[in-house]
Amino acid sequence: MNYFDNPDYSVIIVGAGRGIGRAAADLLASQGVAVGCLDSVGETAEASAEAIKKRGGRAFAAQLDITDDAAIAPTLAAAAKSLGRIDALVNCAGITGNTNIKAHDVDPVDFDRVLGINLRGAFMLTKYALPHMITRKYGRVLHLASIAGKEGNAGMTAYSASKAGLIGMVKSMAKDYVDKGITINALAPAVIRTPMVDAMPQASQDYMTAKIPMGRCGELEEAAQMIAWIVSPACSFTTGFTFDLSGGRATY
């Protein structure tokens, strides 16, 4: 289903080089949306953008490390200049850090690294994307959270804490911009088959999959379809909410 009828609609996707971000970029481009492909690995951002252009779509590519505060605003400004504007921001950037580790064995350096990307990085992205939306009194912001942020996953203290913080941040931020035509939401997947999930220890994967009532991982296409709706004009009366994408694991 195509939720976009405006040929000038522009969505910035952070983490567009792989996994859910790449799937969302491909789907949005197929629906006529101009896509800004940002990724910590410049080559993968370029590959995503080139694939879109070869299919006749409009795309912009840039390398972006969201822990580099000074790089975020200029990169978003460059994307806005290339694509014409920023209607929506989709933040798929994230890391799990070390997993299958009990809390008393967690390395504080790893804990800070995970929160620096998953939570502080998300804050900085939103901070610099919002002015592009405020001036036009329209915007959509979507952050990829996790079922771990709702329920907590054993052996994943840093990751669960970062995603719970992200959910809280979204709830707070959303209330600040309800009068500006801007919605800010989160999406909480369970296990979606992505490179990040594949990199986890098998014990962590088995633990998470066993908790999904549907008994399977989510598909990238399922995530992309939900993302497309949330950042479209069709999703107009929901903000501060964390959507479920968990095969029935989460019921709130």
Side-chain angles (χ1 to χ4, degrees):
M1 183 175 293
N2 192 327
Y3 300 106
F4 305 92
D5 58 7
N6 185 337
D8 296 322
Y9 210 88
S10 171
V11 178
I12 305 300
I13 301 181
V14 182
R18 70 205 88 177
I20 293 174
R22 175 66 183 265
D26 288 343
L27 178 64
L28 287 166
S30 75
Q31 298 192 354
V33 174
V35 182
C37 299
L38 309 183
D39 199 275
S40 60
V41 180
E43 291 82 359
T44 61
E46 290 286 351
S48 294
E50 284 304 312
I52 290 170
K53 291 175 183 178
K54 285 181 180 178
R55 294 192 298 268
R58 293 188 298 133
F60 167 86
Q63 186 274 338
L64 178 64
D65 175 358
I66 62 172
T67 66
D68 182 358
D69 294 353
I72 296 174
T75 303
L76 292 178
K81 182 177 180 180
S82 174
L83 301 176
R85 65 199 209 189
I86 297 177
D87 290 295
L89 168 72
V90 178
N91 173 32
C92 298
I95 61 171
T96 60
N98 296 327
T99 60
N100 203 26
I101 298 174
K102 302 243 182 235
H104 69 280
D105 288 326
V106 171
D107 184 343
V109 173
D110 186 67
F111 186 90
D112 290 343
R113 183 171 67 96
V114 173
L115 264 69
I117 293 173
N118 294 358
L119 184 55
R120 190 179 188 282
F123 162 71
M124 295 301 291
L125 281 171
T126 312
K127 172 182 173 64
Y128 289 116
L130 282 168
H132 292 273
M133 303 172 183
I134 292 170
T135 57
R136 297 181 53 247
K137 294 187 177 180
Y138 178 89
R140 300 284 185 264
V141 176
L142 176 64
H143 290 287
L144 262 290
S146 170
I147 192 66
K150 287 187 173 184
E151 298 189 353
N153 282 344
M156 301 179 72
T157 296
Y159 183 74
S160 298
S162 70
K163 294 301 185 178
L166 184 61
I167 290 170
M169 187 184 78
V170 161
K171 289 181 180 181
S172 176
M173 282 184 168
K175 294 178 175 65
D176 289 338
Y177 300 96
V178 291
D179 61 340
K180 303 296 184 184
I182 299 168
T183 66
I184 303 176
N185 292 296
L187 179 62
V191 186
I192 307 295
R193 189 59 61 187
T194 67
M196 185 174 77
V197 169
D198 289 338
M200 290 181 182
Q202 190 60 46
S204 295
Q205 295 185 43
D206 293 344
Y207 169 82
M208 293 185 292
T209 304
K211 290 180 172 290
I212 299 175
M214 284 190 183
R216 67 172 177 86
C217 293
E219 300 294 336
L220 287 171
E221 178 69 14
E222 291 173 315
Q225 289 284 353
M226 199 158 184
I227 288 170
W229 176 70
I230 295 169
V231 301
S232 76
C235 185
S236 56
F237 196 56
T238 301
T239 193
F241 185 65
T242 299
F243 290 86
D244 179 28
L245 188 66
S246 69
R249 178 175 167 183
T251 55
Y252 71 97

